[in-house]
Amino acid sequence: MNEATIQEELFAAICHNEADVVQKLLTEGAAVNAAFPNNLTPLMVSARAGAHAVIPVLLAAGAHVNAVDCLWGRSAFHWLCRQGLTSHYHMEAHAESARALLAAGADAYLPDNSGETPLVLALRHRLENVIRHIHAVSPIPHVSDGKSIIPWLEVSYYRKWNCYSSMSDEQIHAYYIAPREAPRGASLRNPIPRLYDAAWARKVDLTIVDKRGYTALHHAATQGLYEVAAILIDRGAVVDAPARSGATPLILAARSGQWKVGHLLLAHGANPLHRDCYKRDALQYARRAGNDRLFLQDCPPIGLPTEF
């Protein structure tokens, strides 16, 4: 396998969050800090694509955590807080990736070419657990009155509601402010479990949606759970069911790099030209995520878009 081919395989493995494949390719000589044609290093691509299982592998292999791309001046931490949340919003896996980057020395106050830092991006998207990890490693500066610029990092923020009156300052700090472990497989904002199996797929109510309007098939598509998705479709799940944002399971599979589930959805009639509220379809999301493999086979002859 020549150098160009092994780097192409590395890019594909990262987009599909295949940590074992990435480890194998690195052992075979893949360059951990060489930029891909899109000017991003493997660590940046994994952060952008939300490939959380890959990030520790790349860091252990010597990935430069504060390296920036030559176009926007963004580090992997910038991309994690900017693009990775597209399909991993408020998930504990997202915060765990932030913790891994910070432990490796990521600079949360490093400005990109437009002056935005990872902290600014985390604030903009209210990634509260990511912000807590940043604050634990490198305390966020205070303003002139002595209060943190992040209100939910102050005990006084919780004293405004009577429901916290029975808790001491130490209890509030330990439970709401200090970085903590969330239940495995649970979203910080969504009580619906994220770990699904075949048994769950056979008994779940296909009509139930969460706060974002996601059905069980949406979740299976996001996480690349091929067997679960197949069972749900076999039971009658609507392959083109739109969420509140208009995103269908195919759109979520495309932007999450889950090409195998994407192929399954296409084979069962999913519409690749359906657009969400941002006027983007699955083809465009696949291209943004470097997920072109989704449409290399079993795809209607409509071609990839030239812009996104």
Side-chain angles (χ1 to χ4, degrees):
M1 189 181 300
N2 60 40
E3 182 178 347
T5 301
I6 198 170
Q7 289 302 112
E8 290 175 3
E9 290 295 323
L10 179 63
F11 184 86
I14 290 172
C15 290
H16 303 142
N17 199 23
E18 298 171 341
D20 292 342
V21 178
V22 170
Q23 182 67 67
K24 179 175 179 292
L25 291 171
L26 291 173
T27 303
E28 294 176 355
V32 71
N33 287 308
F36 294 117
N38 63 0
N39 297 296
L40 303 186
T41 66
L43 187 62
M44 296 173 194
V45 172
S46 62
R48 184 189 69 170
H52 304 298
V54 173
I55 289 176
V57 175
L58 295 174
L59 290 172
H64 296 161
V65 70
N66 284 318
V68 298
D69 63 72
C70 61
L71 294 180
W72 301 279
R74 296 171 186 159
S75 67
F77 204 6
H78 283 94
W79 286 110
L80 182 76
C81 295
R82 185 183 183 89
Q83 294 292 116
L85 56 85
T86 303
S87 58
H88 296 276
Y89 188 66
H90 278 305
M91 292 183 180
E92 178 63 14
H94 196 83
E96 285 303 307
S97 293
R99 188 205 299 267
L101 291 173
L102 287 164
D107 186 354
Y109 300 91
L110 178 68
D112 62 13
N113 292 346
S114 62
E116 293 185 326
T117 66
L119 174 61
V120 169
L121 295 171
L123 284 169
R124 178 178 301 161
H125 299 289
R126 288 192 63 84
L127 301 177
E128 297 183 16
N129 227 38
V130 173
I131 294 169
R132 288 188 178 98
H133 289 315
I134 292 174
H135 185 62
V137 173
S138 181
I140 297 171
H142 289 65
V143 293
S144 58
D145 60 359
K147 292 185 178 180
S148 172
I149 62 174
I150 314 301
W152 57 85
L153 291 178
E154 293 291 334
V155 172
S156 59
Y157 173 78
Y158 300 91
R159 289 300 182 198
K160 296 184 294 184
W161 295 284
N162 292 333
C163 57
Y164 300 109
S165 60
S166 62
M167 300 179 69
S168 66
D169 288 356
E170 292 75 16
Q171 289 174 320
I172 290 176
H173 185 276
Y175 191 80
Y176 294 104
I177 299 176
R180 68 187 191 279
E181 295 289 340
R184 181 174 176 78
S187 166
L188 296 178
R189 288 289 185 178
N190 193 338
I192 296 178
R194 292 181 50 242
L195 294 183
Y196 308 110
D197 56 20
W200 173 87
R202 290 189 179 93
K203 65 182 180 180
V204 66
D205 187 343
L206 299 179
T207 64
I208 291 178
V209 297
D210 63 13
K211 294 180 180 179
R212 293 174 293 182
Y214 285 11
T215 64
L217 187 56
H218 282 88
H219 286 281
T222 299
Q223 298 178 54
L225 303 176
Y226 185 93
E227 181 183 0
V228 170
I231 293 172
L232 293 172
I233 293 172
D234 185 62
R235 289 188 54 217
V238 180
V239 294
D240 278 330
R244 290 190 176 182
S245 65
T248 63
L250 180 60
I251 286 177
L252 298 185
R255 74 186 192 188
S256 302
Q258 308 297 351
W259 61 274
K260 293 181 181 179
V261 175
H263 284 169
L264 177 68
L265 293 166
L266 288 169
H268 284 83
N271 179 13
L273 297 181
H274 176 89
R275 293 176 179 265
D276 63 8
C277 64
Y278 302 105
K279 307 300 181 184
R280 294 176 182 148
D281 57 35
L283 293 167
Q284 292 168 306
Y285 278 114
R287 192 136 185 211
R288 286 168 63 90
N291 188 18
D292 292 351
R293 189 187 301 190
L294 173 59
F295 294 103
L296 291 181
Q297 60 183 18
D298 299 329
C299 179
I302 49 183
L304 288 170
T306 57
E307 60 181 5
F308 54 89

